[in-house]
């Protein structure tokens, strides 16, 4: 603006006239003659200036010469925490030049590299007025539910803002569409806006009249590495969602690093590639964050020589290690550094001033020194932000990288790091033991870590993503922590120092929408309204959040802005400074990894398959109340080996033909608890009694005729029961009866609800009625099999029937009711909340889930066909239920079975008679007799 140039930024010229980059490498030889070089030097041109070494005020002054026409204005720093590196200044200048030349600005780059922060800083530089209330940047967060109509509305709103700013002397107003390629409609309309300066054929007047500028940001359309795709597919759990390439040539979204659409060709030529954050720039930002952190730390523990250098190196090594991991953990950014700062300051305060410090002092048997005040917070912050996210193998490598190369003895050896972190986690778990009493819950590593992370992330409002198969203690930890964190009303003195936490749960599905996700945050924000947020926190919990990744509207893209800035009680997503009263805590529980744009915004913990030792420890913990001699260690090891063998068979079958993993950890845990229950009821301890209990438990939890290619019961029976053990014939109807008639008044012996797999549910119901009158008091709910019948009213009516039955102690048979399973998911989980001696569970639609009292006599019985279970039921739902395959032949006496066999032979002979030898397509009995199958024969 002032006719001066920003000549040497990121490169220099040597005396020979060669052009050099910032590292001294020759970019081009002889760009000027030695005579010209000397002449310019005599005129005051500095060819060797290092821009990074200039003070920030000098950098701002040079930027002002370019951005502002008024040279008499003092440079103003809009954000002291924003580092003006050479790279950032080059991007600022390139963006400014594109605006001047009316070239579209389409920012393109990885998540967490500062695209939004850079644009925000640029917009404030254009205002140039400290303390100004003028807003010249409007951020629109795009998700899969944003339509062309929404984009038009935002353009109209921004045009009015630009007109207002123009009248106040602000010549530039920026409309920013963040993550534009998450919505197909938004992306193609943005292409027209950016390239043609029109919106749906109409010109945008504010661009020419009032200086409005439009910017979009996009994430890369890129595949995961083949080895990562293979690892995710090996995890199973419904990962196989359609073909890898659609008929239109689109790649399956799950195989993409970011769930986005490819850019239109006309936009690709305008890409402004932000690349990724360099190591040197990240180190500078990390050092700046550490400086601000140490201002508070030194007030607590005093001055400590070399503290800033120690922390900066520690953080950089942790970041480098995570980045070297070839999986979803490799997507780290400065967000992780800021989380480290927050967790460190939290533990430094609690260890010095609150109950946690007093408990640690008693555990250590000595007074906590200043060195300990530094050591414990560092270990806990590294544990929350990095260590607990890694697999067991990577954890060991991480500790050797961090501890062995540390310049200070604060961390000590890897063994000492593990000891300190385990000590802190054990304190939290110990305080929860009154809530675990009598529930046969093993305090294994996954449970302890989930508890610890839930508490810390709830308190600090750090987003948490728990990824793992069913049975990895995700829902259990959520339930236990929800009961424990009652603020000043907590029974534990430790938890009296924490906030009161209320959970707002939302069950995700492929039908989830962006508006549904936003409504959960809106409700959670309402809970925090007009409350002291230092003592009260609302936590949004998205259960089975991975199912929403298959939503056609890309519903989870709405999470990005919600996790960063929160949502106000009136439903507006914050786009400016973060309002602390609107920021809520968050946990997403899933069976597979989400895209990095989401996971990078929080702490990611992936639970892999537990090892053999972990399973043995867990089994011992579950059976602990029975005494040590009921099941010896050798038999426990055999049980674990059988389960691992079954798991391997299922995974191989899954890779071969995509068959789901029907049996999982929940079946394994239920198998052990069924043994415990059977032996506790009879108070028997002879070998035959134990073998009988084991056989009964195998048939209850692992018997399969058609669900899987191999009957898991055979694996367990052959390994666990002696060859001379005489097996009594067990009628499957007896097993189902035991489940349906089970009562658990005190909650100490819960049993999973049954999933009855049969071709004809009404025939099974008739059999159950004849079989000791099991259905006399059973409420039967028939759902409509037609999608058009699934109106809001009919769904509410169905849920209300279930609610009344649970409260009154009735058994409920659900047939064709798949559309309400999402609403009763918490009930099927059986993780109840206890108030006044009663058990309660949340039932409802969306975020409206009022507590429902559950009588100990009530049971849910789900009926489904084999085809429905394999094709429509999500694997987490199958794992939650006790599976019973029932056929009508079970109710037949010998005469009835003879008649059924005669009818079967007749139908086969009839089909053979109708099949001439020359006919290529052979008829089946079901082709000749309507409704024919083995149950209707």
């Amino acid at each position: 603006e002032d006719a001066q140039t920003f000549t040497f930024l990121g490169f220099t010229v040597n005396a020979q006239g060669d052009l050099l980059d910032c590292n001294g490498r020759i970019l081009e030889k002889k760009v000027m003659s030695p005579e010209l070089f000397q002449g310019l030097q005599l005129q005051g041109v500095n060819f060797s200036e290092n821009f990074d070494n200039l003070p920030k005020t000098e950098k701002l002054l040079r930027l002002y010469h370019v951005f502002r026409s008024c040279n008499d204005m003092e440079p103003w720093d809009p954000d002291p925490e924003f580092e003006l590196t050479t790279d950032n200044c080059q991007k600022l200048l390139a963006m400014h030049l594109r605006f001047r030349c009316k070239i579209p600005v389409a920012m393109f780059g990885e998540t967490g590299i500062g695209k939004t922060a850079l644009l925000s800083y640029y917009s404030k530089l254009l205002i140039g007025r400290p303390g100004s209330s003028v807003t010249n940047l409007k951020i629109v967060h795009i998700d899969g539910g944003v339509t062309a109509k929404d984009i038009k509305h935002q353009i109209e709103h921004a045009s009015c803002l630009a007109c207002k700013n123009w009248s106040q002397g602000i010549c530039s107003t920026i409309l920013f569409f963040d993550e534009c390629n998450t919505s197909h409609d938004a992306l193609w309309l943005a292409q027209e806006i950016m390239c043609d300066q029109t919106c749906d054929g109409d010109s945008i007047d504010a661009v020419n009249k009032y200086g409005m500028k439009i910017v979009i940001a996009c994430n890369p359309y890129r595949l995961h590495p083949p080895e990562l795709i293979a690892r995710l597919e090996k995890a199973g759990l419904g990962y196989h969602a359609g073909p890898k390439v659609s008929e239109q040539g689109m790649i399956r979204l799950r195989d993409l690093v970011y769930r986005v659409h490819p850019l239109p060709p006309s936009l690709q030529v305008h890409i402004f590639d932000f690349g990724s954050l360099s190591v040197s720039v990240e180190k500078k930002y990390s050092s700046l964050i550490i400086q601000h952190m140490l201002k508070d730390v030194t007030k607590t523990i005093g001055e400590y020589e070399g503290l800033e250098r120690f922390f900066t190196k520690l953080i950089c090594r942790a970041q480098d290690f995570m980045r070297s991991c070839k999986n979803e953990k490799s997507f780290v950014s400065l967000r992780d550094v800021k989380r480290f700062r927050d967790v460190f300051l939290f533990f430094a305060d609690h260890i010095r001033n609150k109950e946690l410090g007093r408990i640690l002092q008693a555990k250590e048997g000595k007074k906590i020194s200043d060195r300990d005040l530094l050591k414990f917070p560092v270990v806990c912050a590294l544990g929350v932000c990095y260590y607990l996210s890694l697999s067991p193998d990577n954890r060991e490598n991480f500790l050797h990288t961090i501890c062995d190369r540390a310049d200070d003895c604060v961390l000590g050896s890897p063994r000492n790091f593990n000891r300190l972190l385990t000590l802190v986690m054990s304190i939290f778990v110990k305080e929860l033991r009154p809530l675990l009493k009598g529930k046969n819950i093993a305090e294994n590593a996954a449970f302890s870590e989930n508890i610890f992370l839930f508490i810390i992330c709830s308190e600090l409002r750090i987003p948490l993503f728990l990824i793992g198969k069913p049975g990895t203690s995700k829902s259990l930890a959520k339930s236990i922590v929800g009961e424990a964190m009652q603020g000043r009303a907590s029974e534990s003195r430790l938890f009296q120092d924490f906030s009161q936490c209320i959970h707002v749960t939302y069950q995700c599905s492929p039908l989830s929408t962006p508006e549904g996700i936003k409504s959960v945050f809106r409700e959670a924000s309402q809970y925090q309204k007009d409350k002291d947020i230092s003592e009260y926190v609302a936590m949004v919990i998205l259960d089975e959040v991975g199912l929403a990744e298959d939503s056609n509207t890309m519903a989870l893209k709405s999470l990005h802005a919600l996790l960063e800035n929160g949502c106000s009680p009136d439903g507006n997503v914050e786009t400016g400074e973060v309002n602390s009263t609107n920021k809520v805590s968050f946990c997403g529980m899933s069976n597979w990894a989400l895209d990095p744009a989401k996971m990078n915004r929080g702490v990611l913990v992936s639970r892999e398959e537990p090892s053999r030792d972990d399973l043995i420890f867990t089994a011992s913990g579950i059976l602990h109340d029975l005494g040590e001699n009921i099941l010896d260690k050798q038999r426990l090891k055999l049980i674990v080996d059988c389960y691992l063998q079954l798991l391997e068979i299922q995974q191989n079958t899954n890779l071969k033909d995509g068959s789901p993993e029907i049996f999982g950890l929940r079946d394994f845990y239920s198998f052990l608890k069924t043994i415990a229950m059977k032996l506790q009821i009879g108070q028997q301890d002879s070998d035959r009694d134990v073998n009988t209990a084991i056989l009964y438990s195998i048939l209850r939890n692992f018997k399969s005729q058609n669900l899987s290619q191999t009957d898991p019961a055979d694996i367990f029976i052959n390994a666990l029961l002696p060859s001379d053990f005489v097996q009594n014939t067990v009628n499957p109807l007896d097993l189902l009866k035991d489940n349906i008639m089970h009562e658990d008044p005190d909650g100490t012996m819960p049993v999973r609800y049954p999933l009855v797999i049969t071709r004809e549910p009404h025939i099974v119901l008739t059999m159950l009625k004849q079989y000791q009158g099991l259905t006399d008091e059973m409420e039967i709910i028939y759902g409509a099999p037609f999608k058009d019948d699934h109106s809001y009213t009919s769904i509410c009516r169905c849920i209300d029937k279930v609610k009344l039955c649970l409260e009154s102690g009735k058994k409920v048979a659900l047939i064709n009711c798949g559309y309400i399973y999402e609403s009763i998911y918490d009930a099927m989980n059986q993780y109840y909340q206890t108030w006044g001696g009663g058990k309660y569970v949340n039932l409802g639609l969306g975020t409206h889930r009022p507590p429902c009292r559950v009588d100990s006599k009530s049971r849910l019985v789900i009926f489904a066909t084999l085809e429905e279970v394999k094709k429509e039921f999500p694997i987490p739902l199958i794992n939650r239920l006790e599976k019973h395959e029932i056929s009508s032949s079970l109710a037949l006496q010998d005469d009835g079975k003879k008649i059924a066999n005669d009818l079967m032979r007749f139908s086969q002979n009839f089909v053979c008679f109708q099949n001439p030898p020359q006919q290529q397509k052979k008829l089946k009995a079901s082709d000749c007799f309507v409704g024919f199958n083995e149950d209707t024969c």
Side-chain angles (χ1 to χ4, degrees):
E1 294 288 348
D2 60 354
Q4 296 187 29
T5 57
F6 213 30
T7 309
F8 301 105
L9 179 62
F11 62 89
T12 58
V13 180
N14 61 17
Q16 290 74 37
D18 299 330
L19 186 67
L20 311 176
D21 65 8
C22 56
N23 295 318
R25 293 190 296 265
I26 297 177
L27 299 175
E28 188 174 345
K29 291 186 177 183
K30 305 298 181 184
V31 294
M32 66 175 65
S33 64
E35 293 78 11
L36 178 59
F37 177 85
Q38 293 174 4
L40 291 174
Q41 266 194 328
L42 292 174
Q43 296 179 43
V45 177
N46 186 357
F47 287 100
S48 59
E49 182 179 74
N50 189 331
F51 184 80
D52 280 330
N53 292 336
L54 295 176
K56 193 174 185 180
T57 53
E58 180 64 25
K59 296 176 183 178
L60 279 169
L61 182 61
R62 300 198 181 191
L63 288 175
Y64 263 66
H65 288 165
V66 178
F67 295 159
R68 307 286 302 173
S69 58
C70 302
N71 295 328
D72 57 341
M73 292 186 64
E74 288 292 328
W76 166 61
D77 186 5
D79 184 1
E81 291 190 8
F82 188 85
E83 187 71 19
L84 284 175
T85 62
T86 299
D87 181 65
N88 279 339
C89 288
Q90 287 174 335
K91 290 173 180 175
L92 286 169
L93 292 170
M95 188 186 305
H96 187 71
L97 180 62
R98 286 173 181 247
F99 285 142
R100 288 282 301 272
C101 300
K102 296 185 177 180
I103 298 174
V105 178
M107 297 191 292
F108 191 81
E110 307 288 343
T111 181
I113 61 173
K115 299 186 290 293
T116 305
L118 186 80
L119 188 62
S120 176
Y121 193 84
Y122 173 75
S123 67
K124 293 174 182 176
L125 281 178
L126 294 180
I127 298 175
R129 303 174 188 172
S132 174
S133 60
V134 175
T135 300
N136 69 332
L137 173 64
K138 180 173 178 56
I139 301 176
V140 181
H141 300 280
I142 303 297
D143 55 59
V146 173
T147 63
K149 183 179 179 180
D150 299 325
I151 298 295
K152 294 176 187 177
H153 174 73
Q154 295 294 345
I155 290 176
E156 292 173 0
H157 188 276
S159 297
C160 295
L161 180 63
C163 179
K164 177 183 176 181
N165 289 342
W166 185 270
S167 64
Q168 298 180 17
I170 305 299
C171 301
S172 296
T173 300
I174 300 173
L175 175 59
F176 177 44
F177 294 110
D178 195 11
E179 299 192 349
C180 192
N181 56 339
T182 60
S183 167
H184 188 271
D185 289 353
L187 179 61
W188 283 91
L189 188 58
Q191 179 263 339
E192 179 189 348
I193 295 169
M194 303 292 289
C195 298
D196 303 332
Q197 303 271 312
T198 62
C199 179
D200 204 14
D202 299 325
S203 62
I204 306 174
D205 295 335
V207 172
N208 298 318
K209 289 184 178 180
Y210 309 121
M212 187 171 81
K213 300 170 175 60
I214 301 176
V215 183
I216 67 172
C218 302
N219 288 131
Y221 185 76
R222 188 175 73 245
L223 274 170
H224 278 304
E227 58 272 16
L228 180 55
I229 293 176
R231 192 175 67 83
L232 291 173
E233 288 185 340
K234 187 177 181 180
L237 297 184
Y239 182 86
H240 301 274
K244 292 192 176 184
V245 180
S246 68
E247 295 178 358
Q248 293 78 24
M250 300 292 290
I251 298 172
R252 186 175 62 183
L253 286 178
R254 283 198 188 282
D255 292 345
L256 295 172
V257 176
Y258 301 94
R259 273 63 162 178
V260 294
H261 300 288
L263 295 180
S266 54
L267 264 184
Q268 292 179 10
V269 298
H270 297 299
I271 284 177
F272 182 9
D273 192 356
F274 265 53
S276 57
L277 208 62
S278 67
V279 175
S280 59
V281 172
E282 183 181 76
K283 185 175 181 179
K284 290 180 180 179
Y285 275 115
S286 300
S287 179
L288 192 64
I289 294 171
I290 294 302
Q291 288 177 18
H292 289 284
M293 181 185 81
L294 293 182
K295 290 179 182 178
D296 296 322
V297 173
T298 51
K299 296 176 185 177
T300 304
I301 65 174
E303 296 290 339
Y304 185 78
E305 184 180 355
L307 204 57
E308 180 183 339
R309 179 174 58 85
F310 165 73
F311 273 112
T312 302
K313 287 189 175 182
L314 188 70
I315 289 296
C316 290
R317 286 169 182 165
Q319 294 278 98
D320 290 342
F321 182 88
M322 300 299 286
R323 206 173 281 116
S324 68
C325 297
K326 302 300 181 182
N327 53 34
E328 63 273 13
K329 313 290 175 48
S330 62
F331 299 95
V332 291
S333 68
L334 291 173
R335 294 188 181 111
D336 299 271
V337 182
K338 293 178 180 178
R339 284 193 287 270
F340 175 90
R341 172 199 62 192
D342 294 341
V343 178
F344 178 88
L345 292 176
F346 169 81
F347 276 101
D349 174 52
H350 273 253
I351 291 174
R352 183 175 182 83
N353 303 315
K354 299 186 179 180
E355 181 67 16
L356 178 60
R358 290 188 284 273
I359 297 175
L360 275 175
Q361 185 168 312
K363 290 275 187 181
E364 292 285 86
K366 62 178 181 179
K367 184 179 180 180
I368 294 180
S369 63
D370 289 344
R371 179 64 60 87
D372 292 330
L373 286 175
L374 178 63
K375 177 173 56 179
F376 277 105
V378 169
V379 169
C380 292
L382 286 173
V384 170
C385 300
Y386 301 102
Y387 178 76
L388 295 179
S389 299
L390 298 168
S391 64
D393 293 339
N394 282 334
R395 288 182 181 185
E396 185 176 349
N397 296 332
F398 174 81
L399 290 184
H400 284 295
T401 301
I402 297 299
C403 299
D404 292 354
R405 298 174 58 190
D407 297 333
D408 191 278
C409 58
V410 172
L411 294 178
S413 64
R415 179 178 296 180
N416 187 55
F417 182 101
N418 267 323
R419 185 188 71 83
L420 296 178
L421 183 60
T422 303
L423 175 63
V424 175
M425 289 193 297
S426 67
I427 290 174
F428 287 94
V429 175
K430 183 178 179 181
E431 293 294 316
L432 297 174
R433 280 179 184 162
L435 299 175
L436 306 179
K437 188 176 180 181
K439 294 185 178 180
N440 289 335
I441 294 174
E443 298 173 11
N444 56 19
F447 174 76
S448 301
E449 292 171 7
N450 289 350
I451 289 287
F452 179 66
L453 289 168
F454 250 110
I455 294 169
I456 303 305
C457 291
S458 298
E459 183 72 15
L460 297 178
R461 292 176 170 83
I462 295 175
L464 172 64
F465 292 94
L466 282 178
I467 313 298
K469 290 186 176 182
T472 49
S473 302
K474 304 187 297 295
S475 298
L476 177 60
K478 173 200 75 173
S479 177
I480 296 297
V481 171
E483 290 186 51
M485 292 187 68
Q486 298 299 322
R488 297 184 183 275
S490 300
E491 295 182 4
S492 164
R493 291 185 61 183
L494 174 66
F495 285 107
Q496 290 175 7
D497 292 334
F498 288 76
S499 303
Q500 180 182 352
C501 182
I502 183 169
H503 290 171
V504 183
T505 304
Y506 181 84
Q507 178 61 45
C508 294
S509 73
L511 302 178
S512 298
T513 63
E515 183 54 37
I517 302 293
K518 292 175 185 175
S519 68
V520 192
F521 281 83
R522 190 182 307 130
E523 182 180 346
S525 184
Q526 284 281 1
Y527 282 116
Q528 292 187 170
K529 188 178 180 181
D530 301 327
K531 290 185 174 66
D532 183 357
I533 61 170
S534 64
E535 296 185 356
Y536 194 93
V537 59
M539 186 177 203
V540 171
I541 296 178
L542 299 187
D543 204 356
E544 304 300 343
V545 65
L547 296 177
E549 286 279 52
D550 290 331
S551 169
N552 293 330
T553 60
M554 292 190 183
L556 294 186
K557 287 296 181 181
S558 60
L559 275 179
H560 300 182
L562 295 167
L563 296 182
E564 290 285 344
N565 306 319
C567 177
S568 64
D570 60 4
N572 293 324
V573 178
E574 302 296 318
T575 57
E577 298 297 327
V578 177
N579 188 338
S580 58
T581 59
N582 296 339
K583 185 78 179 292
V584 300
S585 188
F586 170 84
C587 178
M589 296 185 290
S590 175
N591 298 125
W592 50 75
L594 311 178
D595 77 43
K598 283 181 278 293
M599 297 188 297
N600 179 256
R601 287 172 163 83
V603 173
L604 166 66
V605 178
S606 294
R607 294 279 170 231
E608 298 185 352
E609 286 288 353
S611 66
R612 183 173 183 267
D613 291 340
D614 290 336
L615 289 172
I616 293 173
F617 176 82
T618 303
S620 300
I622 292 175
L623 298 174
H624 177 71
D625 292 338
L626 292 175
E628 297 181 359
N629 299 323
I630 297 299
L631 290 181
D632 56 79
K633 291 185 178 180
Q634 185 60 34
R635 185 165 278 179
L636 277 180
K637 292 178 181 178
L638 283 176
I639 291 174
V640 170
D641 290 338
C642 290
Y643 172 72
L644 292 176
Q645 182 183 348
L646 170 61
L647 192 66
E648 183 179 0
I649 292 173
Q650 289 189 135
Q651 289 177 344
N652 292 336
T653 307
N654 175 271
L655 292 176
K656 184 178 179 181
D657 56 17
S659 299
E661 295 180 25
I662 299 295
F663 298 95
L665 281 171
R666 289 182 185 271
D667 298 280
F668 174 71
Y669 297 152
S670 180
F671 168 71
L672 295 169
K673 291 180 180 180
T674 305
I675 295 176
M677 178 184 66
K678 197 69 175 174
L679 292 174
Q680 280 180 332
I681 292 174
Q683 296 295 325
Q684 299 161 337
D685 57 2
S686 68
D687 288 343
R688 178 163 184 82
D689 295 332
V690 172
N691 289 334
T692 301
I694 290 176
L695 175 62
Y696 176 85
S697 183
I698 291 172
L699 298 177
R700 275 280 294 267
N701 296 280
F702 288 112
K703 184 61 179 175
S704 171
Q705 297 172 340
N706 302 301
L707 269 176
S708 57
Q709 297 179 6
T710 303
D711 188 354
D714 293 339
I715 299 174
F716 285 86
I717 290 173
N718 294 334
L720 299 177
L721 299 178
S723 56
D724 57 350
F725 177 72
V726 179
Q727 301 181 23
N728 296 324
T729 303
V730 180
N731 191 327
L733 285 176
D734 287 326
L735 300 176
L736 179 58
K737 172 204 165 187
D738 290 347
N739 185 299
I740 294 176
M741 301 305 293
H742 179 78
E743 295 182 16
D744 183 26
D746 56 0
T748 58
M749 290 191 293
V751 170
R752 294 182 297 170
Y753 291 135
L755 169 61
V756 181
I757 302 170
T758 180
R759 292 186 178 92
E760 301 294 339
H762 62 279
I763 294 179
V764 175
L765 287 170
T766 304
M767 291 165 50
L768 291 175
K769 186 172 183 178
Q770 297 173 352
Y771 192 77
Q772 300 184 14
L774 287 180
T775 60
D776 289 345
E777 299 181 359
M778 183 177 288
E779 181 77 19
I780 302 174
I781 302 177
Y782 287 95
F786 307 107
K787 290 185 179 180
D788 292 343
D789 291 341
H790 299 172
S791 65
Y792 181 80
T793 304
S794 62
I795 293 175
C796 290
R797 188 182 298 116
C798 192
I799 295 173
D800 191 52
K801 286 182 181 179
V802 174
K803 181 175 180 292
L804 291 174
C805 292
L806 290 177
E807 291 176 339
S808 61
K810 285 187 177 181
K811 276 70 174 173
V812 190
L814 300 175
I815 303 172
N816 287 333
C817 292
Y819 54 90
I820 71 162
Y821 293 158
E822 174 188 334
S823 301
I824 63 173
Y825 224 70
D826 285 350
M828 291 191 286
N829 256 332
Q830 294 181 294
Y831 288 129
Y832 306 115
Q833 294 176 322
T834 304
W835 296 318
K839 298 184 296 184
Y840 292 83
V841 70
N842 294 329
L843 290 183
L845 278 173
T847 58
H848 182 65
R849 294 172 177 265
C852 166
R853 193 176 188 279
V854 181
D855 190 275
S856 61
K857 295 181 180 179
S858 61
R859 301 289 290 170
L860 295 176
V861 185
I862 293 89
F863 287 82
T865 65
L866 183 64
E867 291 73 20
E868 287 175 336
V869 171
K870 287 191 172 182
K871 295 181 180 179
E872 299 178 15
F873 277 40
I875 300 301
L877 174 59
I878 299 175
N879 288 165
R880 279 177 170 85
L881 302 172
E882 187 177 293
K883 295 160 277 291
H884 295 265
E885 295 184 60
I886 305 295
S887 65
S888 60
S889 61
L890 296 173
L892 298 178
Q893 301 298 327
D894 293 339
D895 293 342
K897 291 179 181 179
K898 181 178 182 304
I899 295 174
N901 292 332
D902 292 340
L903 287 174
M904 181 66 72
R905 282 194 297 271
F906 168 77
S907 62
Q908 292 173 349
N909 293 334
F910 183 86
V911 170
C912 292
F913 179 76
Q914 296 292 331
N915 278 328
Q918 67 274 15
Q919 185 173 331
Q920 293 183 353
K921 183 180 178 181
K922 300 297 183 182
L923 293 175
K924 296 180 292 185
S926 56
D927 297 325
C928 302
F929 304 101
V930 177
F932 177 90
N933 59 54
E934 291 181 1
D935 279 344
T936 58
C937 175

